[in-house]
Amino acid sequence: MGNRDGNAAFERLADATATAGADAFVHVGDRFDDDLRYLTRFGGPDRDYAFVHADGRSTLCAPRLFAEQAEREFPGSVVSASESSASSAAERALEVLGDRLTSPLEDACVLALPSMPAGATRTVADSVDEVVLEPIDLGRAHKTSAERDRHAFVQRAAQRGMARAEAVLAAATPETAGDAEDAEEARLDELRWDGDLLTTERLRREVNATLAKSGVRDAENTVIGVGTTCADLHFTGEDRIGPGETVLLDLSPRGPQGYYADLTRTFVVGDVGEWERRAYDAVGEAQDAAFDALRGGAGTRAADVHEAATRTLAEYGFESGDVDVGMYHGTGHGVGVSLHEAPSLSSEDPLEAGHVVTVEPGVYDPDRGGVRLEDLIVVTADGYENLTAYPCEIEPNPTRTETISDLSN
Amino acid sequence: MGNRDGNAAFERLADATATAGADAFVHVGDRFDDDLRYLTRFGGPDRDYAFVHADGRSTLCAPRLFAEQAEREFPGSVVSASESSASSAAERALEVLGDRLTSPLEDACVLALPSMPAGATRTVADSVDEVVLEPIDLGRAHKTSAERDRHAFVQRAAQRGMARAEAVLAAATPETAGDAEDAEEARLDELRWDGDLLTTERLRREVNATLAKSGVRDAENTVIGVGTTCADLHFTGEDRIGPGETVLLDLSPRGPQGYYADLTRTFVVGDVGEWERRAYDAVGEAQDAAFDALRGGAGTRAADVHEAATRTLAEYGFESGDVDVGMYHGTGHGVGVSLHEAPSLSSEDPLEAGHVVTVEPGVYDPDRGGVRLEDLIVVTADGYENLTAYPCEIEPNPTRTETISDLSN
């Protein structure tokens, strides 16, 4: 499986190298470099390692202490590199390159990605004739069925996390703050849960523990906004949650082999106000319209999906684009070993079978709150498959955990 | 707090820029770039953003959708950048640079880190006179008291995770595998817990859920080896745990503002064999010897700590260095917003007050198992402070969770 995935990318590398008129491809990075992870399947350490593709062969230069892990994970040959500074990842790559190439190293033209560190690039450039920096389509947007399964696994875990949040919100009770003089007024802005005030941080910890129990990690991506902070798209503070406020949870955990989920739901505890109801209805309809646009599957112009969503929002009086109130982000993006990757649902290009994308319309008012609903789908030849099976209801349902109990990993 | 930390690094940047004869410093990266996180305190998104230091002013060019977050977190001025590809982070940095510099942009010499992406570096280089790539000591090794507190917070969380693992191991029972013909023999290689076979992955999920409840994330760093895989330093597989085998847990979660913990303990469930006992005693004594060497505090030659540990291991018959059996890694490394950073305990340089380092001797035999014990300490003027308060006992203690219950976050 890993092998097959790896080889598909290796073939694209070989093509890109030939097209660029280069003799080899070199990349240097660490575990946080998603292209390198995609190419090598190596979870790697937080120090630089190198990848070389030359003469039809792919080689990973792994730090010495991680060579065993590299052997397990990398579908190619592994060269163990010293961890001493005397031999950097780039220098190790040059040694491998020297072994692989039939012509002298100093005559070589090397293709590399613009994301390669400038220092490593300079080291390589100093020993070869030329380094050509060029973005390369590694085929990451096209998911294999094995990759689709990894997304499905982590999306199920995300749904378990969401169910935990929903259960906590459903069990939270409006309560008088201790220091409030007017009890009725205090009820309007405080929720208690499990003996204490409910905050976004307490909710986040419950969600993240559930993700961990499901075998995935929150990856610093458990975004929870409440009321006005919902408009701040990646808010991860510690705010009290009150009744009547929108609570927006955007969960993007990372699962085995580095594949991400992406799931957003919005709730309101207690009475739902007019703006919140209208926003929720609008976003729900906009998501339905986006799904309708996706019915054609492969070949659908990506921007048609975004435009279907924004058209529907407009019918509800919500503007889109570079606005302060309304929808000021795209309707969706590709997801893979990066949380954000190609394709964008704002693109003029047609969607293709195997694209894994989010469908996430939202509307925000910095003075009121925000609503977003997000599913993760796979584009197929004649439609799409939704990897998400989580209901959209604004009022938290206390029995949600049981109803989605089949989502176990 | 954030402001003070930020400014200290900014002063070092100003000095480095002057020393290099440069007019400004520019860096481009994303949330996975620890130097950028240290400089900006910005948790940031998974797309490139830029930092510019020129004319005594620090500016963060944040992607548009993240400008609010940047304003909250960055102790300097924030410029919101378009997310369109027409204006890359490097191009936005050039615009800021043009505003800040009194002389023409094309005459400017810009200092940059070797970790800056080659593509962004080329974009800057195309518009200025020269880009000087040079490592810069940002002062990351010297922790402020605020940073020390962040390490203490996440180390407490790591200890709660360890206590959970120890409780699970203590509750695990040797049991006959269903298909074993010889019940006595089967008892030797299986442990059951909570109704199923105990695996490293089940144990990892318990640990990670506890970390999450404590407000930190496992950061893909919950390494659990069992028996022979303990020798594979960063093993994160799914193996059955058996009685008599070393179970090595290395927990390095990441806490608020990106600071890491680092904690390793090793356990054996059931009878402890002769090799395991000797290895455990040796490593415990080696760690004590390392602590003794640290008693002098600031001014201690770092390698003295490593040599104290390896000398003790040698007394137990364990070799060190480039060996297959024994200790084949250093005794410790600095920890900060990177899990591995300066200083190394193999360095000839003296330790300085405020250094946060691991003390982690270990011995391994690829055919038997491995033992490592690791604490996280802060070097002080006249000694060291151990941020770790977790006992070292090879047999898992069922009451550990209660005895360390004061470690709450």
Side-chain angles (χ1 to χ4, degrees):
Chain A
M1 189 173 75
N3 233 307
R4 191 172 90 73
D5 293 347
N7 287 344
F10 296 167
E11 279 163 33
R12 281 173 172 266
L13 268 190
D15 290 347
T17 306
T19 304
D23 302 297
F25 168 84
V26 170
H27 194 46
V28 170
D30 62 17
R31 71 187 301 187
F32 304 108
D33 183 315
D34 295 334
D35 278 329
L36 196 53
R37 182 154 194 175
Y38 184 79
L39 280 172
T40 64
R41 302 292 162 193
F42 179 42
D46 56 347
R47 14 267 219 226
D48 279 350
Y49 41 97
F51 171 88
V52 176
H53 185 82
D55 192 28
R57 293 169 66 188
S58 290
T59 305
L60 174 62
C61 308
R64 183 175 61 88
L65 293 175
F66 301 83
E68 281 189 272
Q69 183 185 348
E71 295 276 3
R72 281 199 309 277
E73 298 174 352
F74 179 62
S77 53
V78 171
V79 174
S80 169
S82 160
E83 302 227 321
S84 76
S85 59
S87 170
S88 69
E91 287 165 321
R92 203 74 189 89
L94 284 167
E95 285 176 30
V96 171
L97 212 50
D99 289 345
R100 295 282 183 273
L101 296 175
T102 46
S103 50
L105 196 56
E106 59 264 34
D107 296 340
C109 172
V110 171
L111 179 64
L113 294 170
S115 57
M116 181 156 147
T121 307
R122 183 180 56 184
T123 300
V124 173
D126 285 349
S127 292
V128 303
D129 180 47
E130 190 187 3
V131 173
V132 177
L133 291 180
E134 226 167 66
I136 300 171
D137 181 358
L138 298 174
R140 286 174 50 177
H142 291 87
K143 271 68 180 183
T144 62
S145 66
E147 291 177 296
R148 176 242 166 249
D149 291 349
R150 288 172 213 146
H151 279 298
F153 177 95
V154 64
Q155 187 75 353
R156 283 195 299 274
Q159 292 175 104
R160 290 170 62 82
M162 189 65 76
R164 178 62 188 150
E166 190 170 348
V168 168
L169 289 170
T173 50
E175 221 175 271
T176 306
D179 58 349
E181 294 191 11
D182 181 335
E184 277 311 303
E185 197 175 334
R187 275 177 200 278
L188 291 175
D189 33 20
E190 311 262 300
L191 280 175
R192 291 186 80 84
W193 174 75
D194 196 25
D196 209 343
L197 290 174
L198 183 59
T199 63
T200 50
E201 174 63 14
R202 290 188 72 207
L203 194 56
R204 182 177 300 112
R205 291 183 185 195
E206 293 299 316
V207 169
N208 289 350
T210 304
L211 296 175
K213 289 262 189 181
S214 304
V216 306
R217 46 197 56 89
D218 68 272
E220 213 167 340
N221 288 328
T222 299
V223 172
I224 307 183
V226 55
T228 56
T229 62
C230 294
D232 185 352
L233 293 185
H234 284 249
F235 190 77
T236 52
E238 179 161 4
D239 282 2
R240 291 183 183 175
I241 300 176
E245 294 184 296
T246 49
V247 183
L248 189 158
L249 296 107
D250 187 346
L251 314 184
S252 312
R254 198 173 203 190
Q257 307 210 32
Y259 288 81
Y260 282 95
D262 214 348
L263 173 69
T264 303
R265 290 293 182 270
T266 306
F267 303 98
V268 172
V269 177
D271 293 338
V272 180
E274 185 274 333
W275 184 89
E276 288 77 10
R277 179 70 70 188
R278 184 165 58 90
Y280 201 91
D281 290 348
V283 170
E285 291 271 337
Q287 202 189 32
D288 286 345
F291 287 141
D292 279 349
L294 279 162
R295 270 198 200 154
T300 303
R301 177 178 159 268
D304 282 353
V305 183
H306 177 62
E307 288 162 15
T310 55
R311 215 165 29 238
T312 305
L313 292 179
E315 292 167 11
Y316 280 81
F318 290 108
E319 289 186 293
S320 302
D322 192 7
V323 293
D324 289 326
V325 175
M327 173 152 156
Y328 41 68
H329 57 71
T331 297
H333 56 83
V335 179
V337 291
S338 290
L339 177 53
H340 297 89
E341 61 180 47
S344 160
L345 289 186
S346 302
S347 163
E348 292 298 324
D349 294 333
L351 292 167
E352 298 174 29
H355 282 173
V356 169
V357 293
T358 65
V359 179
E360 50 172 319
V363 296
Y364 315 90
D365 182 333
D367 295 325
R368 293 172 181 274
V371 172
R372 186 165 66 249
L373 298 170
E374 176 185 41
D375 286 5
L376 188 68
I377 67 116
V378 191
V379 177
T380 60
D382 51 6
Y384 68 94
E385 180 199 5
N386 197 335
L387 298 178
T388 322
Y390 202 97
C392 291
E393 293 174 19
I394 193 167
E395 283 146 330
N397 182 333
T399 65
R400 185 71 69 216
T401 310
E402 294 94 81
T403 55
I404 64 145
S405 62
D406 56 325
L407 298 173
S408 63
N409 275 330
Chain B
M1 190 171 78
N3 233 308
R4 191 172 92 71
D5 293 348
N7 287 344
F10 296 166
E11 279 164 34
R12 282 173 171 267
L13 268 190
D15 291 347
T17 306
T19 304
D23 303 296
F25 168 84
V26 170
H27 193 46
V28 170
D30 62 16
R31 70 186 301 185
F32 303 110
D33 183 316
D34 295 335
D35 278 330
L36 196 53
R37 182 155 194 174
Y38 184 78
L39 281 173
T40 65
R41 303 290 162 194
F42 180 42
D46 57 346
R47 16 264 219 231
D48 280 350
Y49 42 96
F51 171 87
V52 175
H53 185 83
D55 192 27
R57 293 168 67 187
S58 290
T59 305
L60 173 62
C61 308
R64 184 175 61 87
L65 293 175
F66 300 83
E68 282 188 270
Q69 184 185 346
E71 295 275 5
R72 280 199 309 276
E73 299 174 351
F74 179 62
S77 54
V78 171
V79 174
S80 170
S82 162
E83 301 227 320
S84 76
S85 58
S87 171
S88 69
E91 287 165 321
R92 202 73 188 87
L94 285 168
E95 285 176 31
V96 171
L97 212 50
D99 289 346
R100 294 280 183 275
L101 297 176
T102 47
S103 50
L105 196 57
E106 59 264 35
D107 296 339
C109 173
V110 170
L111 180 64
L113 295 169
S115 56
M116 181 155 147
T121 307
R122 183 179 55 184
T123 300
V124 173
D126 284 350
S127 292
V128 302
D129 181 48
E130 190 188 2
V131 173
V132 177
L133 290 179
E134 226 168 65
I136 300 172
D137 181 357
L138 299 174
R140 286 175 49 178
H142 290 88
K143 271 66 178 183
T144 63
S145 66
E147 290 176 299
R148 175 243 166 249
D149 291 348
R150 289 171 211 146
H151 279 298
F153 178 96
V154 64
Q155 187 74 353
R156 283 196 299 275
Q159 292 176 105
R160 290 169 63 83
M162 189 66 76
R164 178 61 186 152
E166 189 169 350
V168 168
L169 289 170
T173 50
E175 218 175 275
T176 306
D179 58 351
E181 294 192 11
D182 181 335
E184 277 311 304
E185 195 173 338
R187 274 175 202 278
L188 292 175
D189 36 20
E190 312 261 301
L191 281 176
R192 292 184 79 83
W193 175 75
D194 195 25
D196 209 342
L197 290 173
L198 183 59
T199 64
T200 50
E201 174 64 13
R202 289 188 73 206
L203 195 55
R204 183 178 299 110
R205 292 184 183 194
E206 294 298 316
V207 169
N208 289 350
T210 303
L211 295 176
K213 289 261 191 182
S214 304
V216 306
R217 47 197 57 86
D218 68 272
E220 212 165 343
N221 288 328
T222 299
V223 171
I224 306 182
V226 55
T228 56
T229 62
C230 295
D232 186 350
L233 293 186
H234 284 247
F235 189 76
T236 51
E238 180 161 5
D239 281 2
R240 290 184 186 175
I241 300 175
E245 294 184 297
T246 50
V247 183
L248 189 157
L249 295 107
D250 187 348
L251 314 184
S252 313
R254 198 172 202 192
Q257 306 211 32
Y259 288 80
Y260 282 95
D262 214 347
L263 173 70
T264 303
R265 289 294 182 270
T266 306
F267 302 99
V268 171
V269 177
D271 294 338
V272 181
E274 186 275 329
W275 185 89
E276 288 77 9
R277 178 72 68 187
R278 183 165 59 89
Y280 202 91
D281 290 347
V283 170
E285 293 270 338
Q287 202 190 31
D288 286 344
F291 286 141
D292 279 347
L294 278 162
R295 271 198 198 154
T300 303
R301 176 176 159 267
D304 282 353
V305 184
H306 178 62
E307 287 161 15
T310 55
R311 216 164 29 236
T312 305
L313 292 179
E315 291 166 12
Y316 281 82
F318 290 108
E319 289 186 294
S320 301
D322 192 9
V323 294
D324 289 328
V325 175
M327 173 149 156
Y328 40 70
H329 56 72
T331 296
H333 55 84
V335 179
V337 292
S338 290
L339 176 53
H340 298 88
E341 62 179 48
S344 160
L345 289 186
S346 303
S347 163
E348 292 297 326
D349 294 332
L351 292 168
E352 298 173 29
H355 282 172
V356 169
V357 294
T358 65
V359 179
E360 49 171 321
V363 296
Y364 316 89
D365 182 331
D367 296 325
R368 292 173 182 274
V371 172
R372 185 165 66 251
L373 298 171
E374 176 185 41
D375 287 4
L376 188 68
I377 66 114
V378 192
V379 178
T380 60
D382 52 7
Y384 68 94
E385 180 200 6
N386 197 334
L387 299 178
T388 322
Y390 202 99
C392 291
E393 292 174 18
I394 193 167
E395 284 147 330
N397 182 333
T399 66
R400 185 71 68 217
T401 309
E402 293 95 81
T403 56
I404 66 144
S405 61
D406 58 325
L407 298 172
S408 63
N409 274 329

